[in-house]
């Protein structure tokens, strides 16, 4: 007996944001747009209907017999970008790259398209935000001109598909997905319905042709990817491009990756010659000074499989203006800093109740993992006591509310990176394992005992 499916009741969907409502209302309850809800699904007859077996795209085979040759990653030639992707671009994959305006997304992807054109055949860059001449000027500036790199400026999906048929590229870069509209669906340009339709159409073309597609997406003022959440579920890889406007450092992170690790990070520097990868970025996050100063400590943080040295700075100042003491943070977790303040004061005997505490990371890097707790605590205590920490010292370990120091992952790689960078003393949790040559390790089971010993 064939399976039965209960027919759903009619629903109403907003053409602007995609929200659904069980009944029609004049104003969308999600995006507050007027007259955008239309009936979808359901039917007038109601009742039950049967679902019969239909045609299949291919026979089911044992998993060991599935071919892999068409799904091997092809390196782009940009090491930091390939690290984030897990080896390179996979044929038929769809990537979503998002970042704030002016951060360097278009420049980096133009360089990626240039490298792929050199090594893997024709590539196509479609710009919906800039004219072809503007993109050409950027390509000349960064040296990305190549006869196999094709360029078009379009805002209609049908025109984009025509270019794909003509060029037959191995890589398509669409900048950006919010500027292209599909005439087959209603909705305003850049709205949820249009973005979903354009992404779905290009995903189908990518899978059918074995063509890699990179979609550039906008972000909201909170830093989240703009558009419907379904867009992130639809693509294979989601990459965020972060960076401060006043800094040349750019960080590329993969928040979703079906072909590799989703926690790797790539480091780039942006300049007159474009976006350049930084294979050894530890020196970017540590200050260079002739003599040590109070309130500064160095930790080793893990970004995916990569250990990075990062400096944490703290300033403890007496609050003479009255009112509640200030707690200002940059690059660290504010809630975790408040907890470490309490542990340092209660377990370490460092008075902080009447002082303002400011803490920040160096170089614009964000340090959110608990392994940096010990370095933050040492920086706060060092500033409060106005006494610098020993030269050449790194510290890492998670700090608990009772003052105990807990183990963290990747201790061996953290110690190896500290020794490679020339540090000679490491303050770590108990039982760190093998110690690299030239590095002295001090095991600390309790934060209070460490602070009493140092200060």
């Amino acid at each position: 007996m064939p399976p039965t499916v209960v027919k759903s009741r009619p629903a109403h969907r907003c053409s602007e944001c995609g929200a659904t409502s069980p009944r029609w209302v004049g104003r969308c309850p999600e995006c507050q747009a007027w007259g955008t809800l239309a009936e979808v699904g359901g039917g007038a007859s109601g009742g039950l209907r049967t679902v019969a077996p239909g045609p299949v795209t291919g026979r089911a085979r044992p998993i060991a017999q599935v071919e892999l040759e068409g799904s091997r990653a092809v390196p782009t030639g940009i090491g930091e970008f390939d690290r984030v992707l897990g080896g390179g671009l996979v044929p038929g994959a769809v990537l979503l790259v998002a970042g704030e305006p002016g951060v360097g997304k278009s420049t980096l992807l133009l360089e990626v398209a240039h490298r792929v054109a050199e090594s893997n055949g024709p590539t196509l860059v479609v710009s919906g935000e800039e004219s072809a001449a503007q993109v050409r000027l950027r390509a000349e500036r960064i040296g990305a001109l190549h006869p196999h790199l094709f360029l078009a400026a379009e805002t209609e999906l049908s025109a984009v598909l025509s270019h794909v048929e003509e060029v037959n590229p191995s890589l398509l870069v669409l900048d950006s997905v919010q500027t292209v509209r599909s005439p087959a669906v209603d909705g305003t340009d850049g709205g949820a319905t249009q973005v979903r339709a354009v992404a779905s159409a290009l995903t189908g073309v990518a899978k059918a042709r074995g063509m890699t597609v990179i979609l550039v997406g906008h972000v909201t003022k909170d830093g989240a990817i703009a558009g419907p959440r379904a867009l992130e579920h639809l693509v294979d890889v989601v990459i965020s491009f972060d960076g401060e406007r006043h800094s040349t450092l750019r960080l590329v992170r993969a928040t979703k990756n079906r072909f590799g690790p989703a926690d790797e990070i790539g480091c780039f520097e942006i300049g007159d010659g474009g976006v350049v990868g930084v294979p050894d970025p530890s020196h970017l996050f540590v200050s260079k000074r002739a003599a040590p100063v109070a309130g500064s400590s160095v930790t080793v943080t893990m970004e995916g499989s990569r250990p990075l040295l990062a400096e944490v700075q703290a300033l403890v100042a007496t609050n003479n203006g009255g009112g509640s003491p200030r707690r200002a943070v940059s690059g660290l977790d504010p809630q975790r800093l408040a907890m470490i303040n309490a542990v340092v004061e209660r377990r370490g005997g460092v008075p902080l109740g009447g002082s303002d505490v400011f803490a920040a990371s160096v170089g614009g890097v964000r340090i959110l993992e608990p392994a940096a707790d010990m370095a933050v605590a040492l920086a706060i205590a060092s500033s409060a006591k106005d006494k610098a920490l020993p030269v050449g010292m790194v510290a890492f370990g998670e700090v608990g509310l009772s003052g105990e120091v807990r183990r963290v992952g990747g201790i061996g790689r953290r110690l190896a990176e500290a020794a490679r960078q020339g540090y000679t003393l490491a303050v770590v949790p108990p039982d760190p394992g093998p110690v690299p040559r030239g590095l002295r390790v001090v095991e600390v089971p309790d934060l209070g005992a460490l602070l009493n010993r140092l200060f």
Side-chain angles (χ1 to χ4, degrees), residues 302-321:
M302 294 294 297
E303 294 289 350
S305 61
R306 164 185 282 179
L308 295 176
L309 264 70
E311 181 179 349
V312 177
Q313 295 181 347
L315 176 64
V316 178
T318 303
N319 182 14
N320 294 322

Side-chain angles (χ1 to χ4, degrees), residues 286-298 311-313 362 388 391 423:
V286 179
S287 300
K288 296 181 180 180
R289 54 175 65 94
V293 298
S296 174
S297 65
V298 178
E311 181 179 349
V312 177
Q313 295 181 347
V362 173
V391 179
Y423 288 82

Side-chain angles (χ1 to χ4, degrees), residues 45 114 249 279-280 291 293 337:
S45 59
H114 173 236
L249 177 65
D280 188 13
V293 298
L337 176 68

Side-chain angles (χ1 to χ4, degrees), residues 7-384:
K7 201 169 187 181
S8 61
R9 297 178 56 189
H12 296 78
R13 177 177 297 162
C14 176
S15 61
E16 293 294 329
C17 67
T20 58
S21 174
R23 58 189 176 83
W24 184 88
V25 290
R27 189 177 190 179
C28 175
E30 293 293 333
C31 66
Q32 306 300 317
W34 287 94
T36 57
L37 266 69
E39 183 176 328
V40 293
S45 59
L48 302 177
R49 61 181 177 180
T50 60
V51 178
V56 297
T57 56
R59 294 185 58 189
R61 292 177 292 172
I63 190 171
Q65 298 180 10
V66 177
E67 298 178 357
L68 293 176
E69 292 305 320
S71 299
R72 300 288 186 185
V74 179
T76 64
I78 303 177
E80 291 298 294
F81 195 63
D82 291 339
R83 169 192 286 270
V84 176
L85 296 177
L89 297 173
V90 176
V94 180
L95 293 75
L96 175 63
V97 180
E100 295 183 355
V103 77
K105 304 183 299 299
S106 301
T107 303
L108 174 62
L109 295 181
L110 186 59
E111 177 64 25
V112 170
H114 173 236
R115 296 291 185 92
V116 174
E118 288 181 329
S119 61
N120 203 35
T123 61
L124 175 62
V125 176
V126 178
S127 176
E129 299 182 343
E130 299 176 292
S131 66
Q134 289 175 313
V135 180
R136 162 69 190 268
L137 288 175
R138 182 186 298 115
E140 285 187 347
R141 177 170 56 86
I142 66 176
L145 298 179
H146 195 274
H148 288 165
L149 176 57
F150 293 83
L151 176 63
E154 301 288 353
T155 57
E156 290 286 338
L157 177 61
S158 56
V160 175
L161 297 180
S162 296
H163 286 298
V164 171
E165 290 288 340
E166 179 183 356
V167 177
N168 190 24
S170 60
L171 170 65
L172 168 65
V173 178
L174 180 61
D175 187 9
S176 66
V177 67
Q178 276 87 2
T179 60
V180 177
R181 72 181 311 275
S182 172
V185 297
D186 298 327
T188 59
D189 295 355
T193 305
Q194 285 287 343
V195 170
R196 189 185 297 109
V198 172
S200 299
L202 292 178
T203 299
V205 173
K207 304 302 180 185
R209 305 176 67 96
M211 172 186 66
T212 305
V213 176
I214 299 180
L215 306 176
V216 178
H218 297 168
V219 296
T220 64
K221 61 182 181 180
D222 297 327
I225 298 177
R229 192 70 178 183
L231 182 61
E232 298 180 47
H233 294 286
L234 186 65
V235 300
D236 300 304
V237 182
V238 179
I239 295 176
S240 65
F241 202 89
D242 303 324
E244 300 290 340
R245 288 184 175 272
H246 59 271
S247 173
T248 61
L249 177 65
R250 299 293 184 265
L251 300 179
V252 178
R253 304 173 186 268
T255 58
K256 172 188 175 181
N257 192 352
R258 290 175 177 166
F259 311 110
D263 55 357
E264 288 289 352
I265 182 175
C267 298
F268 296 85
E269 275 191 306
I270 189 168
D272 295 337
V275 182
V276 181
V278 183
D280 188 13
S282 288
H283 66 280
L284 299 175
F285 311 130
V286 179
S287 300
K288 296 181 180 180
R289 54 175 65 94
V293 298
S296 174
S297 65
V298 178
T299 186
V300 186
T301 180
M302 294 294 297
E303 294 289 350
S305 61
R306 164 185 282 179
L308 295 176
L309 264 70
E311 181 179 349
V312 177
Q313 295 181 347
L315 176 64
V316 178
T318 303
N319 182 14
N320 294 322
S324 300
R326 295 184 60 191
R327 301 288 188 263
V329 180
S330 175
L332 303 172
D333 185 359
Q335 301 300 326
R336 199 145 194 95
L337 176 68
M339 185 200 75
I340 296 174
N341 277 338
V343 175
V344 170
E345 182 171 18
R346 180 68 177 83
R347 307 298 180 185
V350 180
L352 299 172
S355 302
D356 298 329
V357 179
F358 306 89
S361 59
V362 173
V365 65
R366 296 175 61 211
I367 306 175
L368 301 179
E369 65 168 345
D373 289 354
M374 181 122 65
V376 175
L378 289 177
I380 294 173
S382 171
S383 178

